Amino acid sequence: MKYSLYIKPSAKKELFDLPVKVLKKVDEAIISLKANPRPIGCKKLKPFDLFRIRVGSYRVVYQIDDKRRKVVIIGIGHRREIYRK
């Protein structure tokens, strides 16, 4: 069963600020989370109830709500910058 997808406004801005080549890959990765919110290679960020996936040098940080079957994209950014927020 598929999950619904919600992108926070701040994450949407980060998404559209990405270079075009990276934007396509990140967009595909985000859409794939609807079918499988815990793909191979995803990592749970320990002190928080968040997950992250890698897309090259970029990271997508998101939250999963299994009861509502919802994935919320929290942030998107380069690996050097994404965890400093």
Side-chain angles (χ1 to χ4, degrees), residues 24-66:
K24 290 178 184 178
K25 291 179 183 178
V26 169
D27 189 43
E28 290 173 4
I30 289 173
I31 291 171
S32 73
L33 292 174
K34 290 171 98 175
N36 183 9
R38 293 177 181 89
I40 295 173
C42 81
K43 184 174 182 180
K44 185 168 183 178
L45 303 177
K46 293 286 184 186
F48 311 103
D49 191 24
L50 300 173
F51 292 83
R52 71 107 170 114
I53 55 171
R54 294 173 44 187
V55 182
S57 295
Y58 289 83
R59 304 295 184 259
V60 177
V61 178
Y62 60 99
Q63 189 173 28
I64 302 171
D65 184 351
D66 287 315

Side-chain angles (χ1 to χ4, degrees), residues 65-77:
D65 184 351
D66 287 315
K67 289 182 183 178
R68 295 183 185 142
R69 302 196 62 80
K70 184 176 182 180
V71 175
V72 179
I73 306 299
I74 306 293
I76 302 163

Side-chain angles (χ1 to χ4, degrees), residues 6-19:
Y6 175 75
I7 302 176
K8 292 182 81 173
S10 58
K12 196 174 286 190
K13 183 183 179 316
E14 294 168 346
L15 179 66
F16 291 120
D17 287 343
L18 295 175

